[in-house]
Structures are given as structure tokens and as C-alpha cells.
């Protein structure tokens, strides 16, 4: 029954009142209300699934900002600046790769999936990586985030381990991170440098020249095969059994 | 409402973590091994361990391709062993994958931990050589249920009877098992196809398979460098305190190089590196010197050891913090106080710094062993193709000589049987210039048993164009190369 108001002006307006419903009407109305509540809940759930609400996340092994004491987040976002350690000037066009790694939740450490984003530093050496996209946040247990920075002619950077002594890196921070790259020292092994960095597709593309150098280096330095034995001219041990030429 | 706030979770690793510790051990072992030179000399891949290889799913069976693709797609690109997914061609259901030689090897190491159920076969009791077994009083049903709770098995596996029941093959048996899709048998078959397959795509994919298998076998070997795996200590594996410490402090890139001072006798079999029953396997060495958290009892203390004071550490020549202990007060009247034995982070630090280089050395020897038996080829019009054996005594076997056309297609030219041989000339194959004129490369595959009776597949190749004389004085032998 529609709600009506007497507007004919013939008498005082009738106070608006809730209509009387039949049992069936009340039932239908109630169901539609609950459906609305359900949709509201679902919508809230969907919104809640956006940044900040997601599956299990491991503890980030780095701070949010340098000296802040606030724990960082594996989800991101991440930003910072890449500078040349020797000249203390910004390094532009350095390759920056961020990778989120997931593993299967609740069990043995089994890789589940990974997601990478790549960018290059601007003219001021700055980089910025967005947060892990919402659609990727339910892939499994978010186990780690790794930042790799590469610039030809420099020692690359990993957010987890230092190159010089292979010790754990403690100065990586989520926001305002400063990446200081040293010039690649003469005599340093390109092969070991590449293995240190890892070999994602983007990195392989950027490090083509260094890959060739590493190959040449290993031709010189890799453990030798046993040299040719002294060849005795004894009758060869082979006896031809068949030929399919 | 399923709004779960993001909760920072402390995550234990379970056994040496595949993506970090195991992959790092394999990479460092490979750098110290002869892998680079062998890849260059046997497969003519000039960049060696940095040469990119494609895994083309079209050359594999559908099940095998899908299985590998799913597992490889899960790898952590941040650690460098995840392959690059290439553009799929029309008609292909799966995309080709690309990674370099070293990356494939490390990827194989990680795949050995995927799915988690494989871990059941990574145990070996250092005393008996047995695999994982249930603790007394634990039933198979209880162990299976536990394995689901721990995430080792799925509910589906539980209901189908395939869940882990608390037992497993011994690690050396797993390496040789026909059920292991990344084991020794698959390695040998894949290596053979990497040489003899007709097309370049099939050979590259087969070489990738061989590398994945080699990496996986190295993972099984490396795992027995974790004390929990040699003390039948599944609980410690699942708690993962030691392995978490190692993963956190070393990552992948910080794993130390193999211990070059450690001298290991060449094994007769790959499995002997894991466990040889004489104390020379990695499992035995690990068990002899190191403890796992749940295997500690009073029995581990040397006879006559007295623990004086409120707590401290016991030291050994190889670990300053070998075992921690603390005096615990009696909880009830009438109970005497007793000392609790345990391992803490200082113990883990000492264990890792001593164990990882040794594990790396075993892995390096293992990798060199898998690819043993170097051949060298030379070709001349007078003597034909001469095949020299450089480093290994061989038993009887078969030689296959193939010619490779400029298009990459390989064709079998000769097959020969060989008798047991020592390093020196393995065989001479009479080939005329005329018979090889259509080929740019000669390739030899030897397949048989080594002098210990172990299966062995090895190969070598020779680029024919390199043999052309380039000095102006020499006549250009066009007929030989055209």
C-alpha cells in the first residue's frame, strides 16, 4: 500500500503514517531488506579487500623509513633514489625491479607465485614502485619483497644482501630509500656479480654486455677439464657394429 | 564478512628453503664446478652457464609440459631462477620459457621442494640409511592428518590415501627412484635427447630437463646438510627454526662458496655423496657433528659431561656454540632441578657457517660427478674422427656419431660399441670428407656404464668449419666443407 498524504486542501493534512502490510508483503519486504544488507556487506567486503586488507603477509625485514623505527610493509609502495657513491650525484636510467614472492600458506616453504614490476630512475635518480596490486594480494602467503637495482658499470644492489661481503643488508627502507652504487671494480668477477643479482628477464636484457663479459671471464677462470691424456697408439677399443649413414 | 586485516606473520622455513638457501648452494657449487666448460665443449654454447636456453612445451608430452610449466611459473623472480615467459605461438597451449643454464639448474633445485610432499623423500637416517619413519606410537592415519595440518598434503590427498603417512623413501633411493620425475633416470634420458634429438628446439628442451633434474638431485643432496633430515626429525623440519635462521641471514645471494679445502674422494655413485654407509656421505658427516632441535636428549652429551652453573654453551672444535643449556628449577616440590638442552640462534649461526661451505663442496662434487666422462674429438682426412677419453675409466658402452646440418638438424651417421677403456683413445670412426660434407658439426654420444658399473651418458662435439685451414699457403678445401 503506497504512502499517501491528503493534499486536496479540504482539510488538515493527514499525518504520514506507516502503511499496514500483509504477511506476504512483510516477508517480501524483509527479504529484500536482507538482500540489501547482504549486498552492502559484500560491497564492504570488496572495498575491504582493497589495500590494507588481504591474505597473510610475512613480517617485513625492513623499516618504513630510515630511523623511523616503524615496521615496513611488504605490500608497498616503495620509493627512493639511486646515487653514484663516488660522485654523490643522482643516477638516471638505472633499472629498478621489485618482486613480490608468494608461497603456499601454512605449510612447507613452497613457492606459489611471484609478481614483478620494473621501472627506471628519473633524471634525479628517483624511483617509485606502486603497492602490490589488489588483485594480486590473495595469491598466497606474501613471503618477501626484493628490490634489485642495476646500472651498467656499477655494482648492483639487492635489498636483502650486500655485494661486498654478502652480509644481510640492514639499510633498506620502504620509503625514501637511498641506493648508493659503487663503480664496478676492476678485477671483480662479472659472473659472481650476475649470480648475486639474479637473472630476471628485465635484468638479462639490461645486462647483455656483462653477460658476454662473464662468459669470456669464465672461459679463462672456470675450473679446467682434465687435459688430454697421453695418447697411446694402442689399438682403439671400438669395434664397428652397425652404421646408419 | 571476509575482511581479513593484513597480519605480519613470522614464517618458518622448513628444511633449507628452496628459493634461497638451496638455490644459492647450487649456484655457488656450479660456479666452482666444471659445468661452464662442459656446457661450452659438449654443447657448443659459447656463453656457457650464462647461455639462454628455451624450454619449448611443444616438444614435451602434454602432462610433462603442464606439470613443469605450473611449477616453474611459481618461482620467485626476485631470486633470479624464475624463467622468462615468452610469447606463445598460435596453436600452442603453453608459452615457451627461457632462462640461462645456471638459472635452469637453480630452478631444478627449487622444484625439488615443489610440491611439498616431495620433502618426505629427503630424509636419511645417518645410522641405518633408512628414510623418514614415524615416531613410535604414531599411526599412519594420525601422521596423514598431521601432514594436512602442516600443509604438506592436501585434503584431497588425505581422502585418496596419497597423503604423507610419516614415511618416505631414503634420500639416495629417491634420487634413483623411477617415480622421481627429476631423478637420475630422467637426467640420463634427457641428456641423451639433448644430444640426439633431431631438432634444435627438442635438444634445448631436453638439455633444460637434464639441468632441472641435476638441480633437483643437488637439492636432495643439500638437504641432508640440515641436521633435522639426518636425525629423522620431521618436527624440527616443520618448525624450521634453523632453516629460517639460515634463510634470513644468508638469503640466496649471501650463501657462501664451497669449502675449497675440504677434500672429498670421488664417489662411485651419486648416492654415495648422500650416504655411503662408511661415514663419507654428507648425511653421516652432518649427523656426526650436528644436532637438530628435537633430536636432543641427554644421550648427546659426551660421557662425564657436567653442566655447572645456571646455563651456557657446550663447544666443539667445529662449533663454539654447539649446544645451549640452562638450569631449570623444579616446578613441584620433591622434583629436582634439571638442565634443559636446546639450540638457539648462536648455535644456528655456528652450524650454518660450518655446514654451508661443506654442503656446497658436496654439491660441487656431485655436479661434476653427474657430468663426468669428458671426451675430445678431432677429425682429419687420414684418420677420420678420433674420440679421446679424458678423465674417466669407462666400462662397455655405445657410441653414436651424429652429423649436424646448418639448419640444426642432426642425423645419426654411425653407431659403434666400445669396450672398457682407460683415458686415451676411446675409438676411431673412419669418416671421409665426402661423408661429412653436408654437416657443420660432428657430435658424439657415449652411453654405457662407467668402471663402477654406473650408468653414464656423455658427449662431445666438433665444429667442422673450424678445422678448415685459413693460412693463405694452404689450399682451400672447399669440398670438405660444402
Amino acid at each position: 500500500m503506497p504512502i499517501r498524504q491528503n493534499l486536496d486542501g479540504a482539510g488538515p493534512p493527514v499525518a504520514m503514517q506507516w502503511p499496514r502490510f500483509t504477511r506476504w508483503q512483510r516477508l517480501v519486504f524483509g527479504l529484500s531488506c536482507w538482500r540489501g544488507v547482504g549486498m552492502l556487506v559484500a560491497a564492504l567486503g570488496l572495498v575491504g579487500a582493497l589495500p590494507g586488507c588481504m591474505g597473510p603477509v610475512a613480517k617485513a625485514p625492513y623499516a618504513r623509513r630510515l630511523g623511523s623505527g616503524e615496521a615496513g610493509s611488504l605490500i608497498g609502495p616503495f620509493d627512493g633514489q639511486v646515487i653514484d657513491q663516488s660522485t654523490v650525484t643522482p643516477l638516471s636510467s638505472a633499472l629498478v625491479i621489485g618482486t613480490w614472492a608468494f608461497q603456499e600458506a601454512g605449510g612447507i616453504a613452497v613457492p606459489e607465485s611471484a609478481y614483478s614490476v620494473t621501472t627506471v630512475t628519473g633524471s634525479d635518480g628517483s624511483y617509485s614502485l606502486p603497492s602490490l596490486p589488489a588483485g594480486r594480494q590473495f595469491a598466497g602467503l606474501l613471503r618477501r619483497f626484493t628490490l634489485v637495482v642495476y646500472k651498467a658499470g656499477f655494482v648492483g644492489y639487492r635489498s636483502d644482501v650486500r655485494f661486498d661481503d654478502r652480509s644481510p643488508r640492514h639499510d633498506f627502507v620502504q620509503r625514501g630509500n637511498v641506493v648508493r652504487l659503487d663503480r664496478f671494480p676492476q678485477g671483480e668477477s662479472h659472473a659472481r656479480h650476475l649470480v648475486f643479482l639474479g637473472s630476471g628477464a628485465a635484468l638479462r636484457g639490461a645486462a647483455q654486455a656483462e653477460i658476454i663479459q662473464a662468459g669470456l671471464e669464465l672461459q679463462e677462470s672456470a675450473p679446467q677439464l682434465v687435459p688430454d691424456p697421453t695418447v697411446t697408439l694402442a689399438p682403439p677399443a671400438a669395434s664397428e657394429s652397425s652404421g646408419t649413414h | 564478512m571476509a575482511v581479513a586485516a593484513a597480519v605480519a606473520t613470522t614464517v618458518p622455513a622448513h628444511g633449507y628453503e628452496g628459493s634461497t638457501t638451496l638455490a644459492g648452494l647450487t649456484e655457488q657449487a656450479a660456479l666452482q664446478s666444471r659445468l661452464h666448460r662442459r656446457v661450452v665443449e659438449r654443447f657448443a654454447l659459447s656463453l656457457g652457464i650464462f647461455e639462454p636456453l628455451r624450454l619449448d612445451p611443444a616438444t614435451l608430452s602434454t602432462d610433462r609440459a603442464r606439470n613443469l610449466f605450473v611449477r616453474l611459473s611459481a618461482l620467485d623472480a626476485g631470486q633470479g631462477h624464475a624463467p622468462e615467459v615468452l610469447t606463445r605461438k598460435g596453436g600452442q597451449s603453453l608459452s615457451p620459457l627461457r632462462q640461462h643454464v645456471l638459472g635452469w639448474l637453480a630452478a631444478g633445485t627449487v622444484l625439488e621442494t615443489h610440491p611439498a610432499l616431495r620433502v618426505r623423500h629427503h630424509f636419511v637416517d645417518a645410522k641405518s640409511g633408512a628414510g623418514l619413519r614415524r615416531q613410535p606410537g604414531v599411526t599412519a592415519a594420525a601422521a596423514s592428518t598431521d601432514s594436512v595440518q602442516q600443509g604438506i598434503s592436501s585434503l584431497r590427498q588425505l581422502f585418496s590415501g596419497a597423503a604423507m603417512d610419516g614415511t618416505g623413501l631414503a634420500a639416495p633411493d629417491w634420487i634413483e627412484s623411477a617415480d622421481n620425475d627429476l631423478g637420475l633416470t630422467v637426467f640420463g634420458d634427457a641428456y641423451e635427447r639433448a644430444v640426439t634429438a633431431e631438432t634444435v628446439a627438442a635438444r634445448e628442451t631436453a638439455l633444460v630437463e637434464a639441468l632441472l633434474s641435476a638441480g633437483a638431485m643437488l637439492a636432495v643432496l643439500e638437504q641432508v646438510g640440515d641436521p633435522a633430515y639426518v636425525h629423522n626429525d620431521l618436527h624440527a623440519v616443520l618448525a624450521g627454526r634453523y632453516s629460517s635462521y639460515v634463510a634470513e641471514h644468508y638469503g640466496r645471494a649471501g650463501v657462501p662458496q664451497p669449502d675449497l679445502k675440504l677434500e672429498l674422494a670421488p664417489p662411485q655413485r651419486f648416492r654415495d655423496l648422500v650416504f655411503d654407509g662408511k661415514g663419507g656421505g654428507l648425511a653421516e658427516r652432518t649427523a656426526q657433528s650436528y644436532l637438530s632441535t628435537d633430536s636432543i636428549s641427554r644421550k648427546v652429551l659426551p660421557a662425564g659431561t657436567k653442566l655447572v652453573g645456571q646455563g651456557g654453551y657446550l663447544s666443539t672444535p667445529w662449533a663454539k656454540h654447539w649446544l645451549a643449556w640452562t638450569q631449570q628449577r623444579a616446578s613441584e616440590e620433591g622434583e629436582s632441578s634439571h638442565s634443559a638442552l636446546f639450540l638457539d640462534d648462536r648455535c644456528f649461526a655456528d652450524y650454518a657457517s660450518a655446514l654451508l661451505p661443506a654442503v656446497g663442496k658436496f654439491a660441487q662434487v656431485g655436479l661434476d660427478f653427474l657430468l663426468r666422462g669428458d671426451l675430445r674429438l678431432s677429425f682429419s682426412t687420414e684418420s677420420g674422427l678420433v674420440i679421446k677419453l679424458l678423465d674417466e675409466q669407462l666400462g662397455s658402452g655405445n657410441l653414436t656419431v651424429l652429423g649436424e646440418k646448418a639448419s640444426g638438424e642432426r642425423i645419426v651417421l654411425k653407431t659403434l660399441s666400445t669396450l672398457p677403456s682407460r683415458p686415451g683413445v676411446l675409438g676411431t670412426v673412419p669418416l671421409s670428407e665426402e661423408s661429412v660434407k653436408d654437416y657443420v658439426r660432428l657430435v658424439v654420444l657415449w652411453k654405457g656404464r662407467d668402471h663402477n658399473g654406473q650408468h653414464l651418458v656423455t658427449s662431445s662435439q666438433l665444429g667442422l668449419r673450424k678445422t678448415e685451414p685459413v693460412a693463405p699457403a694452404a689450399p682451400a678445401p672447399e669440398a670438405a666443407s660444402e
Side-chain angles (χ1 to χ4, degrees), chain A residues 98-109:
Chain A
T99 305
W100 289 266
F102 297 86
Q103 71 183 41
E104 291 179 1
I108 286 204

Side-chain angles (χ1 to χ4, degrees), chain B residues 219-306:
Chain B
V220 179
L221 171 60
E222 290 158 3
Q223 279 290 35
V224 298
D226 178 343
Y229 282 90
V230 295
H231 290 301
N232 194 46
D233 197 348
L234 178 61
H235 191 265
V237 168
L238 294 173
R241 285 181 54 219
Y242 168 61
S243 47
S244 292
Y245 177 90
V246 174
E248 193 178 314
H249 284 76
Y250 291 89
R252 174 197 59 85
V255 169
Q257 295 178 27
D259 182 356
L260 299 178
K261 293 177 186 167
L262 180 61
E263 291 186 4
L264 298 177
Q268 294 189 354
R269 304 172 296 177
F270 186 85
R271 62 179 294 141
D272 292 342
L273 287 167
V274 181
F275 174 84
D276 69 358
K278 301 172 202 160
L282 179 58
E284 292 137 302
R285 293 172 68 109
T286 306
Q288 191 180 13
S289 305
Y290 301 95
L291 306 166
S292 66
T293 48
D294 272 34
S295 66
I296 299 172
S297 68
R298 301 291 301 180
K299 290 179 189 170
V300 304
L301 295 178
T305 305
K306 287 185 180 176

